[in-house]
Amino acid sequence: MWESIILTLAATAGNNIGKVLQKKGTVILPPLSFKLKIIRAYALNKTWAIGFLMDIVGALLMLRALSLAPVSVIQPVSGCGLAILSVFSHFYLKEVMNAVDWMGITLAGIGTIGVGAGGEEQKASSISILHLPWLVFIIAILFVLLNGWIRIFRRHRREQEMMEYEVVEEIMYGLESGILFG
């Protein structure tokens, strides 16, 4: 189990850091097209090529991890890649982070690894097809309520020209995303 968790951490680090390196490498490159001259420019750009290789190696490591453990363990641990990306961004891209950011990154990393380590393969439970319309109905109601709440806060913010409600909007959008992802 721990081998698959370590492989997943390496894989998600490779994927995320590889994409950042690719993006950084494209700063001096023309837009990607299928012209041989442009493909050669990408292939010869050291930063882009290293990022591309890290991304590919990360994908291969993820496949190996998935062969060793169930998806219910691998997927939560792969969420730790965002914490790894934050640390990489701080040191490589020189992004500034305060103590709250570091605490959040640490908790996110520990939490996702903990969820993955605590996961185990479970027996599939049967769900009646008659319950699916109720599930869809409840999700639709949640979206309607959250969107209504967003509109109310947005109108209130415009009337009073307050900026504090942006955080509330972001939280509600996060809730909607979580519901949809779930």
Side-chain angles (χ1 to χ4, degrees), residues 76-132:
V77 174
S78 70
C80 194
L82 296 175
I84 294 169
L85 180 61
S86 297
V87 172
F88 177 76
S89 296
H90 173 71
F91 290 108
Y92 184 71
L93 301 175
K94 306 298 184 211
E95 293 181 358
V96 178
M97 290 188 229
N98 59 29
V100 175
D101 294 333
W102 284 111
M103 186 177 299
I105 291 167
T106 303
L107 291 174
I110 292 170
T112 54
I113 292 170
V115 167
E120 55 188 49
E121 203 160 344
Q122 300 173 0
K123 295 178 185 174
S125 62
S126 62
I127 298 174
S128 171
I129 195 112
L130 299 174
H131 289 102
L132 291 179

Side-chain angles (χ1 to χ4, degrees), residues 18-144:
K19 284 177 180 57
V20 169
L21 291 174
Q22 285 176 302
K23 177 66 177 169
K24 190 166 183 168
T26 60
V27 171
I28 61 170
L29 293 172
L32 184 63
S33 70
F34 289 110
K35 295 178 183 175
L36 183 60
K37 180 180 173 183
I38 292 178
I39 292 174
R40 174 180 271 178
Y42 274 78
L44 295 177
N45 182 297
K46 187 177 179 181
T47 305
W48 187 88
I50 290 171
F52 181 75
L53 289 174
M54 284 185 73
D55 202 4
I56 297 297
V57 169
L60 294 173
L61 289 173
M62 185 66 74
L63 288 173
R64 177 66 180 145
L66 284 167
S67 71
L68 296 174
V71 175
S72 61
V73 172
I74 300 302
Q75 188 59 40
V77 174
S78 70
C80 194
L82 296 175
I84 294 169
L85 180 61
S86 297
V87 172
F88 177 76
S89 296
H90 173 71
F91 290 108
Y92 184 71
L93 301 175
K94 306 298 184 211
E95 293 181 358
V96 178
M97 290 188 229
N98 59 29
V100 175
D101 294 333
W102 284 111
M103 186 177 299
I105 291 167
T106 303
L107 291 174
I110 292 170
T112 54
I113 292 170
V115 167
E120 55 188 49
E121 203 160 344
Q122 300 173 0
K123 295 178 185 174
S125 62
S126 62
I127 298 174
S128 171
I129 195 112
L130 299 174
H131 289 102
L132 291 179
W134 283 106
L135 179 63
V136 170
F137 177 73
I138 290 169
I139 290 172
I141 293 294
L142 283 171
F143 271 102
V144 168

